[in-house]
Amino acid sequence: MNKLLPGIAVMAAIVVASNILVQFLILDGLLTWGAFTYPLAFLVTDIINRVYGPSEARRVVFAGFVTGVICSLIGSQIMLQGDGYQYPAVASRIAVASGVAFLAAQLTDIFVFNRLRDGKWWRAPLGSTVVGSVLDTALFFTIAFSASVTIFSSAANDEISWAWDIVPIMNVGAHYPLWVSLGIADWIVKISVALLALVPFRILVRQILANSR
């Protein structure tokens, strides 16, 4: 277990940082700073998978999941003030969506990585992260914001009703609910980070394997 502690610590730090940075909007509200830190979770999962295998990678993922649940519980108890009313820092729908999307996407990443691990070095991390990112984005934004999801209470829907505003997609296209633009922008960042992360993946895997010999 000691060999996994650095990976667990980094994964937990990414989850905590993303939960904090998601509060800070950029690009007219299309993105948050958390969108740039969250995809690094895939990098951590892939490095652990390559070096130690899928079982150990799943342990790191579950540690990140537990950290995320704790962050959501804390955030749901913090009340913010805006436009004359109070609202939780973490809406209940967003908390549920975050946990489901993280766990499903990371476990899928591990599965896809294993299917590709014997190919060229870049295929497994890139392919698994692309698939995981698509699943993560689809699950999170659908569960968190889509009006077609009717399992939540009216109070939970009220917390995220701002995401139903009809706006030009990505501020330039046809009109859709705001959350669709948020999802597209988020996915573009995830794919961009996946490509950039190939460099640290290659370097860190080599370094860890060299130090373990």
Side-chain angles (χ1 to χ4, degrees), residues 24-40:
F24 300 96
L25 304 177
I26 57 175
L27 297 180
D28 293 327
L30 282 178
L31 286 170
T32 71
W33 285 114
F36 295 91
T37 55
Y38 177 78
L40 296 176

Side-chain angles (χ1 to χ4, degrees), residues 41-147:
F42 290 101
L43 173 62
V44 175
T45 299
D46 290 344
I47 290 174
I48 298 298
N49 198 347
R50 173 61 78 188
V51 176
Y52 300 117
S55 296
E56 307 295 359
R58 281 190 285 270
R59 290 187 181 184
V60 173
V61 165
F62 283 120
F65 174 74
V66 172
T67 303
V69 170
I70 293 172
C71 287
S72 294
L73 290 174
I74 294 173
S76 66
Q77 301 304 309
I78 299 175
M79 301 304 293
L80 303 177
Q81 190 77 30
D83 296 328
Y85 66 94
Q86 285 189 328
Y87 58 93
V90 179
S92 55
R93 280 191 63 160
I94 293 177
V96 172
S98 179
V100 171
F102 177 87
L103 194 58
Q106 294 295 325
L107 293 179
T108 299
D109 177 279
I110 293 171
F111 174 80
V112 175
F113 190 102
N114 282 336
R115 298 296 296 268
L116 301 175
R117 70 185 308 133
D118 294 329
K120 293 184 180 297
W121 71 267
W122 53 267
R123 286 184 61 198
L126 182 59
S128 62
T129 300
V130 168
V131 173
S133 295
V134 170
L135 182 61
D136 183 271
T137 303
L139 283 176
F140 175 77
F141 284 93
T142 300
I143 296 171
F145 302 120
S146 177

Side-chain angles (χ1 to χ4, degrees), residues 155-177:
N157 290 335
D158 288 342
E159 292 173 351
I160 54 87
S161 59
W162 53 267
W164 296 345
D165 292 344
I166 303 301
V167 299
I169 193 165
M170 299 294 289
N171 292 335
V172 295
H175 287 66
Y176 286 91

